[in-house]
């Protein structure tokens, strides 16, 4: 689904006469900042700073667990596809470079084939559930592995900030780091008082604080950088 969405974006951008390549979304500072914030927040969740819990105490959460699981899997696939675009360039660059110059149906077909290829391992495990037995058994190692993944996500944030630095300079990276600090504080407040296990008054206050931290950090640190970048882009054009 994400590859098809990217195909539609490619067709729209092509229709405007833009020259694009695989991973073109990383050319926009706003997108890189948003991905940095998302990956940073995910890393904090892996470190246990906060968790998103559903209401209820029953085993199936009143039937929500299944739907939440499917939604979570879908959104993880979306995130994996977007973040993987630079990493898959050596493998997909030639095919997608060819696709960018083709008619719409060929573009959609090539993107669809790429998406199916990325989803294939998950599809195989879904069709052969018994093969899940080959995976390691649950245990304390899962906590260590989760925290290790948090460090890898932090490394991804550093890479995204390097990409951003090439676009908006060192000062833009510093202000983005300040926004991430505010976002980290918001995640901590959410983890301490904002989840469903806390009282209604505590949740309300915590969520207002979270909203103020995120919106305030964006307004003070990110918005001026993006406004300056747009002005420079307009002046250059």
């Amino acid at each position: 689904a994400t590859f098809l969405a990217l195909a539609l974006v490619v067709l729209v951008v092509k229709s405007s006469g833009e020259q694009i390549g695989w991973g073109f979304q990383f050319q926009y500072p706003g997108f890189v900042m948003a991905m940095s914030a998302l990956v940073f927040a995910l890393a904090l969740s892996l470190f246990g700073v906060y968790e998103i819990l559903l209401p209820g105490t029953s085993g199936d959460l009143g039937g929500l667990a299944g739907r939440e699981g499917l939604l979570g899997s879908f959104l993880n696939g979306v995130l994996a596809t977007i973040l993987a675009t630079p990493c898959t360039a050596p493998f997909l660059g030639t095919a997608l470079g060819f696709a960018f110059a083709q008619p719409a149906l060929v573009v959609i077909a090539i993107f669809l084939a790429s998406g199916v290829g990325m989803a294939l391992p998950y599809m195989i495990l879904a069709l052969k559930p018994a093969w899940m037995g080959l995976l390691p058994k649950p245990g304390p190692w899962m906590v260590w592995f989760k925290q290790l993944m948090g460090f890898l996500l932090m490394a991804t944030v550093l890479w995204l900030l390097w990409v951003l630095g090439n676009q908006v300079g060192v000062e833009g990276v510093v202000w983005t780091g300040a926004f991430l600090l505010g976002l980290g504080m918001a995640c901590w407040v959410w983890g301490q008082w904002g989840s469903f296990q806390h009282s209604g008054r505590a949740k309300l206050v915590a969520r207002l604080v979270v909203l103020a931290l995120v919106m305030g950090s964006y307004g003070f640190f990110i918005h001026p950088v993006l406004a300056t970048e747009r002005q420079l882009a307009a002046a250059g054009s």
Side-chain angles (χ1 to χ4, degrees), residues 16 181 234:
S16 66
L181 176 62

Side-chain angles (χ1 to χ4, degrees), residues 156-183:
T156 302
V157 173
L158 290 178
W159 174 78
L160 288 169
L161 292 177
W162 173 78
V163 173
L164 184 64
N166 292 329
Q167 298 171 334
V168 297
V170 175
E171 185 176 355
V173 173
V174 171
W175 291 124
T176 302
F179 168 74
L180 294 180
L181 176 62
L183 177 62

Side-chain angles (χ1 to χ4, degrees), residues 175 178-183 211-224:
W175 291 124
F179 168 74
L180 294 180
L181 176 62
L183 177 62
L211 182 63
L213 283 170
V214 174
M215 297 303 296
S217 297
Y218 173 83
F220 280 112
F221 304 128
I222 296 295
H223 180 71

Side-chain angles (χ1 to χ4, degrees), residues 37-50 146-147 149-155 157:
L38 175 59
V39 176
F40 181 74
L42 290 175
L44 293 181
S45 71
L46 294 180
F47 290 139
V49 174
Y50 74 101
K146 181 182 73 169
Q147 294 173 349
M149 292 300 101
F151 285 109
L152 294 179
L153 287 182
M154 286 297 183
V157 173

